Amino acid sequence: MPVYSMTGFASASAAPVAEGENHPGGVTVEMRTVNSRFLDIAFRLPDELRQVEPALRELLTAGLRRGKVEVRAQLGRSADEGLPQPGTEQLNRLARLESTVQGWLPNATALSVHEVLQWCRGGASANANAGLDELTVQAARSAIEALKEARGREGARLAQILAERIATLRTLAAQAAPLVPAVVQKQQQRFMERWTEALNSAAGGGNAGAVSAEAARDRALNEAAAYAIRIDVAEELSRLVSHLDEIERLLGKGGEIGKRLDFLIQELHREANTLGSKSSALELTGISVDMKVAIEQMREQVQNIE
C-alpha cells in the first residue's frame, strides 16, 4: 500500500444527463484535508443538501483514516431553475396558518424563505431533493478518489524525504561507532599519566614504591574501565539502527502508519539525547547534534502522514 499524507485538496462535479422541469442542476463538492490526530469532518453545505450529510460522512469514514476534513458543496446555476413560483393563494394560506400557530404558540419560530418554498413545491420537492442527493453523493465519490490520489502523491514525497533522513542517520551512526574506543583509549592514557605524576611526587621507596606503583596502575585501569562503561554508546547506536530499520519497513508497507512512525521518532530522539549526554568528545557531541536535527526534520514530516 502507498503512504498517504493527511494534506490534500480535491474537487469534483456531477450534473444531470438531462434536465426536466423539476430536475435539479449540477453539484460541485470540494474537500480539503490537513493533519490531525483523528478523523475530524466538518461540513459546509447549503440548506438544500443538509439531508445528505450522513451519507457523505459514511463515504469519508470508509475512505479516510485520519485528518481534519472540510467538505464544501455548491449548487450549479441551473439548480435554481426548478424552484416553485408561489401563488398568492398559497402565500395567504401559509400566512393564515402561521398566524394561527403563533396565536396558540407565541414562541414558535417564523417560517423561513426556504421552508415556504419547500411547502409550495409540494409533491415535486421529494423528487428534486432526491436528484440533488444522488448528484451530491456521485460528486463526493469522485472527490474522495481524487483526494486519495493527491494524498498518495504527497505521501510518496514525504516517504522520499524520510528515506533521505534515514540514510543521514545511518551515516552518522557509522561515524560515531569507531569514536568510542579511541576516546576510551585516550582517557585511559590520561588516567595513567595522572597517577604516574602523583606517584612520582609522593614520598616512598623500595618495595613500598613498587607496591604503590602497581596499586596506582590497577586503580588507573579500573577508573578507565568504569569510564568506558559510562560513555559506551554501542547499545544506543544499536537501538537507533533498529528503529531506523523498523521505519523503513513501515514506509515499505504503507497504509495507516502515522501513529507508529510518531512513536518511533520519539524513540530516536531518546537515543540521540542519551548519545549526547554520554559523549565526552567534541566529535561525538557534534554527531549527536546532527542526529537531533535530522530526527526533528523527520518528526515534522511524520506529523503529516496518515
Side-chain angles (χ1 to χ4, degrees), residues 137-157:
V137 171
Q138 179 182 344
R141 286 198 179 98
S142 300
I144 291 174
E145 291 302 318
L147 181 64
K148 291 174 66 176
E149 292 177 2
R151 285 162 58 117
R153 291 191 298 269
E154 178 67 12
R157 187 184 69 85

Side-chain angles (χ1 to χ4, degrees), residues 54-73:
L56 297 182
R57 186 179 296 275
E58 183 177 353
L59 289 175
L60 288 166
T61 303
L64 306 177
R65 293 294 178 267
R66 293 176 62 199
K68 184 175 182 179
V69 187
E70 180 179 306
V71 182
R72 293 180 179 270

Side-chain angles (χ1 to χ4, degrees), residues 93-275:
R93 186 181 307 167
L94 284 175
R96 289 194 300 269
L97 290 173
E98 182 179 24
S99 177
T100 301
V101 171
Q102 289 181 340
W104 286 93
L105 303 172
N107 296 327
T109 304
L111 289 173
S112 66
V113 174
H114 174 67
E115 290 170 337
V116 171
L117 293 178
Q118 290 293 328
W119 278 99
C120 294
R121 179 179 287 142
S125 176
N127 294 332
N129 285 340
L132 279 176
D133 293 354
E134 294 175 1
L135 289 175
T136 303
V137 171
Q138 179 182 344
R141 286 198 179 98
S142 300
I144 291 174
E145 291 302 318
L147 181 64
K148 291 174 66 176
E149 292 177 2
R151 285 162 58 117
R153 291 191 298 269
E154 178 67 12
R157 187 184 69 85
L158 295 179
Q160 179 62 32
I161 295 176
L162 290 176
E164 294 173 359
R165 299 301 179 271
I166 290 174
T168 299
L169 288 172
R170 289 189 185 278
T171 301
L172 292 172
Q175 294 174 357
L179 292 178
V180 176
V183 172
V184 172
Q185 185 178 3
K186 184 177 180 180
Q187 191 65 23
Q188 181 180 1
Q189 183 179 357
R190 189 176 303 168
F191 282 144
M192 294 297 296
E193 291 174 355
R194 274 196 318 206
W195 283 106
T196 301
E197 292 175 0
L199 185 62
N200 291 335
S201 62
N207 292 334
V211 173
S212 299
E214 183 178 354
R217 182 176 180 278
D218 290 342
R219 183 170 181 181
L221 292 176
N222 290 335
E223 290 285 346
Y227 175 79
I229 294 175
R230 288 198 305 271
I231 70 167
D232 184 21
V233 294
E235 186 176 349
E236 285 75 14
L237 293 176
S238 176
R239 287 198 296 264
L240 187 141
V241 172
S242 176
H243 295 328
L244 294 178
D245 291 340
E246 180 64 12
I247 291 175
E248 283 188 330
R249 187 190 71 81
L250 289 175
L251 291 176
K253 175 184 176 183
E256 189 179 354
I257 60 175
K259 291 184 178 179
R260 281 178 285 181
L261 288 178
D262 186 59
F263 170 76
L264 290 171
I265 293 299
Q266 295 179 23
E267 294 300 307
L268 288 178
H269 263 299
R270 183 178 304 173
E271 305 304 339
N273 287 332
T274 305
L275 176 64

